[in-house]
Amino acid sequence: MEPLTEAQQQLYNWLVEYIRTSQHAPSIRQMMRAMNLRSPAPVQSRLEHLRAKGYIDWTEGKARTIRILANVPTGVPVLGAIAAGGLVEPFTDTDEQLDVSPVLRQPGNFALRVMGDSMIDDLIAEGDFVIMRPVPDPDQLKNGLIVAARVEGHGTTLKRFYRQGERVTLKPANPKYEPIEVMAKSVQVQGVLVGVWRDYETGAKG
């Protein structure tokens, strides 16, 4: 199948997880909210591309009829690297696949390679792969979960998530790093940690 862009892959992953858990298709407004978009046009464009590339389809003239066409891959796609220190732009084009146990191989899940040591006290070391689950509704996210969060104007980082009102704190698990405190509207949670994979033969430490 034709590969997806970062934005298309992000929406596709979210759609797979949402439809799997909710057993029905989301609305355009829900997709806008999940993708942190203020206009329906980008969502509609991504949907059209996903349809043209054979990943999804829907019934014309009927709302909430999106269905997933693409087969679920046998491995978890590695979408890039994630900072566990400062902030880096993580998602890059790659065909790499991470083969994990079936318990982690759920539709929509994706993997990121950890860079840095800010989560070392949570036993997440540099070189590890973190398995992330997309977040259908960020407003329902519980405080204390480890997330991949994109901070507007900077990049994406792996931290524990805490929200109080309109403020979000992203806390490291290493005392030599300071928490990141920003307005909630500046943060887009892209996934919640569901597992860590460490390949000792390639030299990952921990």
Side-chain angles (χ1 to χ4, degrees):
M1 298 177 68
E2 188 176 347
L4 302 178
T5 66
E6 174 190 332
Q8 293 162 9
Q9 185 71 59
Q10 184 183 2
L11 178 58
Y12 176 72
N13 289 343
W14 184 86
L15 283 171
V16 169
E17 177 66 12
Y18 184 95
I19 293 172
R20 183 183 71 84
T21 58
S22 303
Q23 298 300 305
H24 61 80
S27 67
I28 293 292
R29 185 174 295 275
Q30 287 173 307
M31 286 182 266
M32 287 170 53
R33 190 175 183 181
M35 298 297 104
N36 198 29
L37 297 169
R38 297 182 181 180
S39 166
V43 169
Q44 292 167 341
S45 175
R46 294 177 198 182
L47 289 173
E48 290 289 351
H49 281 98
L50 288 174
R51 188 186 200 185
K53 293 178 179 181
Y55 286 81
I56 65 172
D57 199 6
W58 61 81
T59 303
E60 293 292 348
K62 293 185 178 181
R64 296 189 178 226
T65 59
I66 294 174
R67 55 190 181 276
I68 305 299
L69 299 181
N71 293 327
V72 177
T74 58
V76 178
V78 178
L79 299 185
I82 181 138
L87 294 167
V88 299
E89 190 65 24
F91 294 107
T92 57
D93 293 333
T94 178
D95 293 326
E96 187 178 7
Q97 291 279 326
L98 177 64
D99 189 17
V100 296
S101 62
V103 70
L104 295 178
R105 200 167 57 233
Q106 297 296 321
N109 284 5
F110 59 94
L112 297 168
R113 187 189 293 274
V114 175
M115 297 173 61
D117 62 354
S118 75
M119 299 303 291
I120 195 68
D121 288 351
D122 279 324
L123 305 181
I124 302 173
E126 183 166 15
D128 289 349
F129 287 97
V130 285
I131 313 300
M132 311 302 294
R133 171 176 54 80
V135 182
D137 187 355
D139 288 342
Q140 300 300 315
L141 193 63
K142 294 181 180 179
N143 283 342
L145 293 176
I146 297 176
V147 303
R150 182 187 293 273
V151 181
E152 187 176 309
H154 296 279
T156 304
T157 188
L158 188 72
K159 297 288 184 290
R160 285 197 178 272
F161 175 93
Y162 296 90
R163 178 168 180 170
Q164 185 172 12
E166 296 302 313
R167 302 284 298 180
V168 164
T169 300
L170 301 171
K171 292 186 178 181
N174 185 332
K176 75 178 185 180
Y177 292 94
E178 294 294 327
I180 299 169
E181 298 182 4
V182 292
M183 297 298 293
K185 65 181 181 181
S186 299
V187 177
Q188 180 186 4
V189 177
Q190 298 184 319
V192 174
L193 181 73
V194 295
V196 180
W197 177 271
R198 182 169 301 163
D199 188 346
Y200 289 96
E201 291 185 358
T202 60
K205 299 177 181 179

